[in-house]
Amino acid sequence: MTVVDWLLDSDPSVRWQVMRDLTDAPAEEVAAERARVASEGAGARLLGLQGADGRWGGAAWNRGWDSTMHVLSLLREMGLDPASSEARRAVGLVRDRVTWQGCGPRECEGNPFFTGEVEPCINGQVAATGAYFGQDVRGLVERLLGERAAGTSREVTEARLRGQEYLLERRLFRRRSTGQAIERDRKGGAEWTRFAFPTWWHYDVLRGLEYLRRAGVAPDERIAEALELVASKRASDGRWPLETRHLGRMPVETDEGEDRPSRWNTLRALRVLRWHNRPVRDDASPIRVG
């Protein structure tokens, strides 16, 4: 079993992305595999955990990773097709029934879920998942841009490009002023050079590279050091481990545990290296499973 074989011998949420990003499978085969996310494996289990009131974990947001916001973020990472009947039903329940009652400021308790509350980090995640699932989050985006810019709403593209350049100028993990590596974030203490999945609100170097890849940024020499870091994490059998897990209750398991080979980190690392036109070798020693 090669690394790609191992990735394909997994959950549909991993498999369809491997087919799209690593094996260049025909589009119709990728779409058919993606459709299985809603009915099989981790994606189906997540959908099955939704309450009749539209919520997951009994809340719009909590500190445990099993709330409505967190599950929608995870379903987005898994690639649940927004056009599927399962996604439309689940997101429709959220839109029509879920508010911020009990988990946000009092003035926001009556806000519909996709209206958001007041904390920019939370609102950013709600806007990202809402946009992915086809919800109207224009008001939320304008509010976020207004909080970051000088009073008026600018084009989303301009804000995104500024953010990309901010990352690139700092080579994804260094201070612009001194060039010193930033080891961990000041709020949660997460190490930027240790790779987790899901990342939730935390930042790390692999997450930064994944963002640039998804945004279609043309790689340049400013990401070279970050790519070398990713490549250095590859084990002798060609796989990447789950280096850390952020504290909190997971709604479903997505990997086999900390310090174990991680399909999600392996997929993400391989496609980042491929995006940079680096050889993606699949010639490691055969993996012995079991």
Side-chain angles (χ1 to χ4, degrees), residues 1-45:
M1 179 177 285
T2 67
V3 174
V4 170
D5 291 336
W6 176 71
L7 288 172
L8 291 170
D9 182 30
S10 63
D11 193 84
S13 59
V14 173
R15 213 160 39 229
W16 83 267
Q17 296 186 59
V18 173
M19 293 168 66
R20 180 192 63 184
D21 299 330
L22 299 181
T23 70
D24 300 321
E28 61 272 18
E29 294 181 15
V30 174
E33 190 61 41
R34 185 184 188 187
R36 298 171 66 181
V37 174
S39 59
E40 300 178 23
R45 291 197 299 275

Side-chain angles (χ1 to χ4, degrees), residues 81-93 95:
D81 187 349
S84 67
S85 59
E86 295 90 345
R88 292 199 305 270
R89 178 186 179 279
V91 175
L93 284 174
R95 181 191 61 235

Side-chain angles (χ1 to χ4, degrees), residues 126-144:
V126 172
T129 56
Y132 176 81
F133 286 110
Q135 300 304 298
D136 185 359
V137 292
R138 286 174 294 182
L140 188 50
V141 171
E142 289 175 1
R143 190 190 324 162
L144 286 165

Side-chain angles (χ1 to χ4, degrees), residues 160-168 172 208-223 227 272 275-277:
R160 177 172 59 82
L161 293 175
R162 288 196 300 271
Q164 291 169 190
E165 190 61 24
Y166 182 95
L167 280 176
L168 291 168
L172 281 81
L209 287 167
E210 273 269 272
Y211 165 75
L212 294 173
R213 181 193 68 83
R214 287 176 176 175
V217 176
D220 63 37
E221 59 86 21
R222 292 175 293 180
I223 67 169
L227 287 166
V272 158
W275 160 68
H276 193 246
N277 293 322

Side-chain angles (χ1 to χ4, degrees), residues 52-165:
D53 61 2
R55 299 185 298 179
W56 278 272
W61 173 89
N62 64 21
R63 297 183 182 275
W65 317 136
D66 61 352
S67 74
T68 303
M69 187 193 81
H70 294 107
V71 171
L72 288 178
S73 295
L74 191 50
L75 287 169
R76 174 175 167 243
E77 290 278 2
M78 292 179 170
L80 176 67
D81 187 349
S84 67
S85 59
E86 295 90 345
R88 292 199 305 270
R89 178 186 179 279
V91 175
L93 284 174
V94 174
R95 181 191 61 235
D96 297 339
R97 301 184 183 182
V98 179
T99 69
W100 292 90
Q101 184 174 5
C103 57
R106 288 188 177 180
E107 65 268 25
C108 300
E109 288 199 344
N111 285 7
F113 179 80
F114 291 111
T115 299
E117 44 121 287
V118 298
E119 208 282 324
C121 179
I122 292 174
N123 282 344
Q125 293 177 77
V126 172
T129 56
Y132 176 81
F133 286 110
Q135 300 304 298
D136 185 359
V137 292
R138 286 174 294 182
L140 188 50
V141 171
E142 289 175 1
R143 190 190 324 162
L144 286 165
L145 290 172
E147 290 167 354
R148 301 244 182 268
T152 61
S153 174
R154 299 284 184 98
E155 291 290 332
V156 174
T157 300
E158 293 178 6
R160 177 172 59 82
L161 293 175
R162 288 196 300 271
Q164 291 169 190
E165 190 61 24

Side-chain angles (χ1 to χ4, degrees), residues 172-191:
L172 281 81
F173 69 112
R174 293 192 175 275
R175 300 186 188 281
R176 184 181 179 188
S177 56
T178 65
Q180 180 184 7
I182 301 172
E183 295 183 359
R184 60 183 70 231
D185 68 60
R186 290 178 291 179
K187 183 175 180 180
E191 296 183 51

